[in-house]
Amino acid sequence: MESASRSVPGAQAIARAARLLRLVTASGADGAALQDLARAADLSRSTTHRLLSALKAEGLVDRDAESTRWMPGPELFLMGSAAAARYDVTSLARDIVRSLAVKTEESAFFSVRRADETVCLLREEGSFPIRSFVLSEGVRFPLGVASAGLAILAFLPDHDVDAYLERHPELESSWGRAHGDSPLRTRLAETKERGYAVNPGLIVEGSWGMGAAVFDRSGRPEWALSLTGVEFRFGHDRIADLGRTLLAHAHQLSARIASARR
């Protein structure tokens, strides 16, 4: 990736701007402060401000006059609306995500794979009053970290998994020893054998997650359904029940997507 950025004129600036766009859109309705964006993008404040100002001139981001926080701009909405016709399947998933939340009483989610990450598209609250807020719409995680990305990565071809892990040796340093090559491969194998992923509080202590891949017509895992909740709700016996429910909903959504895209 770095060599490509050096060989194509302007590619590095585009990559930096794209990174900032993702960070701004992931910040939610409250927006993000300049210093936080600079830190997350590993850029200086001056470079970050220059890139954000250029994006603002194009309508891709906006800056709140009172809080000075940066937020998604109106042009992103127009672009997203145009792309939705081809890429957005949330309308197909919405009632299934709601059903999953109702039946399990946990928070349920629908995420999509975007390159080496998952992006949460839908969140539906369960009725259980104690909730986990690790995941919400727009939040991104690397594949193999949150349960949705773990489920997707587990069902990719072995050579794709190997290439992904080679590209991202930083997973362990960024997300902890449990995300090193060996323990991650062990969780991937367990996920493939069970059919669903279990994240035992590896992102936030006490917040557990489960995920099941959703496949396209060719059998590739491009989306995932997932659940999150507090640890005591995920005992051994209940995990098995939740897993069966999760897989049933994932299979239903895979079939619906395949049928809709014929």
Side-chain angles (χ1 to χ4, degrees):
M1 184 69 71
E2 291 181 0
S3 61
S5 296
R6 286 194 294 267
S7 63
V8 180
Q12 185 181 55
I14 292 173
R16 287 175 170 178
R19 170 69 171 153
L20 286 172
L21 273 177
R22 294 188 187 102
L23 290 169
V24 170
T25 56
S27 65
D30 293 333
L34 175 65
Q35 61 185 18
D36 294 333
L37 291 170
R39 186 184 310 112
D42 195 24
L43 298 171
S44 68
R45 284 172 60 96
S46 60
T47 297
T48 302
H49 188 270
R50 184 171 66 253
L51 289 170
L52 288 171
S53 296
L55 292 170
K56 183 176 184 295
E58 298 297 329
L60 295 170
V61 300
D62 203 358
R63 191 184 187 208
D64 185 79
E66 294 184 4
S67 68
T68 72
R69 297 175 74 86
W70 294 88
M71 301 177 180
E75 195 65 28
L76 281 183
F77 171 77
L78 298 175
M79 290 180 174
S81 298
R86 179 174 182 183
Y87 296 106
D88 184 23
V89 297
T90 55
S91 61
L92 300 177
R94 196 175 301 278
D95 67 310
I96 292 178
V97 175
R98 185 175 299 115
S99 170
L100 187 58
V102 169
K103 291 183 177 180
T104 65
E105 300 182 340
E106 310 295 345
S107 296
F109 308 87
F110 177 58
S111 299
V112 62
R113 180 189 176 194
R114 285 290 176 262
D116 287 352
E117 298 178 313
T118 56
V119 185
C120 178
L121 299 178
L122 292 173
R123 173 182 177 124
E124 188 74 30
E125 301 291 358
S127 61
F128 191 72
I130 304 176
R131 296 166 183 165
S132 168
F133 292 95
V134 174
L135 193 59
S136 59
E137 289 94 336
V139 171
R140 296 170 178 262
F141 282 107
L143 295 177
V145 176
S147 57
L150 187 63
I152 289 173
L153 188 61
F155 286 94
L156 287 175
D158 291 343
H159 61 86
D160 284 352
V161 175
D162 292 339
Y164 172 77
L165 294 177
E166 288 177 8
R167 287 195 303 272
H168 295 284
E170 79 286 352
L171 286 175
E172 181 173 3
S173 60
S174 298
W175 297 95
R177 294 175 60 185
H179 296 90
D181 188 276
S182 179
L184 181 52
R185 286 183 184 275
T186 297
R187 284 202 303 284
L188 291 173
E190 292 171 347
T191 297
K192 203 165 186 178
E193 182 178 353
R194 274 192 308 256
Y196 57 86
V198 177
N199 187 325
L202 298 179
I203 300 175
V204 175
E205 186 176 357
S207 177
W208 282 47
M210 297 177 65
V214 174
F215 299 87
D216 65 12
R217 287 185 62 195
S218 65
R220 285 188 65 85
E222 295 295 339
W223 306 271
L225 293 174
S226 59
L227 299 166
T228 67
V230 289
E231 181 177 359
F232 71 85
R233 296 276 292 172
F234 288 77
H236 178 75
D237 291 339
R238 189 163 189 260
I239 279 182
D241 289 338
L242 290 174
R244 285 189 289 271
T245 302
L246 190 56
L247 284 174
H249 283 71
H251 292 159
Q252 180 185 2
L253 184 52
S254 294
R256 182 179 291 184
I257 291 172
S259 176
R261 295 193 164 193
R262 288 186 184 279

